[in-house]
Amino acid sequence: MSLVKFKNNGFPWLDSDIFFDNDFFSSSRNLPAMNVKDHSKSIEIEMAVPGFSKKEMHVSLENGILHVSAEKNKEEKIEDEDFTRKEFEYSSFDRKLQIPPTVDQNKEVIASYKDGILKLKLTKKNSAIENPKKVIKIA
């Protein structure tokens, strides 16, 4: 048997300038799945939150923290339904994300919800937007 050294540099995703999930080390993992798209002028976040209505969700941005939460009102048990197995359970979630300093917190956050997907669009600061590459001819 040969031994191979494992090089552990910590958590590679913590080096990212995009997002740090404050709830990562939480014992409660009742968090929605998330996709983050880093565009040149904005950052787009998609969260899978099926089973909730728009009225049950709360989204806020304050001091560099994006806070997304939802709480489902407990439904009364319907006597007519006879489940063999019931796995649909959407009670609540609470997720906080530290946004990068490139996001302009004074701009409006565009939010939409369709087919169980919550989409948030955060605008970047003008100083964070990369200028296109300029080719310089040598005389």
Side-chain angles (χ1 to χ4, degrees), residues 45-100:
I45 303 166
E46 299 173 329
M47 288 189 180
V49 289
F52 291 99
S53 70
K54 292 178 189 179
K55 294 178 183 178
E56 295 168 328
M57 288 187 270
H58 307 283
V59 181
S60 64
L61 176 61
E62 183 178 13
N63 297 327
I65 304 293
L66 179 68
H67 185 195
V68 181
S69 63
E71 188 167 356
K72 189 114 180 126
N73 296 331
K74 294 288 181 186
E75 296 177 5
E76 295 293 323
K77 186 174 181 180
I78 301 172
E79 298 294 329
D80 296 339
E81 294 187 40
D82 188 24
F83 290 102
T84 303
R85 182 178 179 140
K86 186 175 180 183
E87 293 184 350
F88 288 4
E89 184 68 34
Y90 308 107
S91 57
S92 67
F93 73 87
D94 191 345
R95 190 159 195 181
K96 296 176 184 170
L97 302 165
Q98 184 175 355
I99 61 169

Side-chain angles (χ1 to χ4, degrees), residues 116-129:
I117 304 293
L118 174 64
K119 290 185 180 183
L120 304 168
K121 186 175 181 181
L122 306 160
T123 305
K124 288 184 178 180
K125 295 177 184 175
N126 287 337
S127 60
I129 298 172

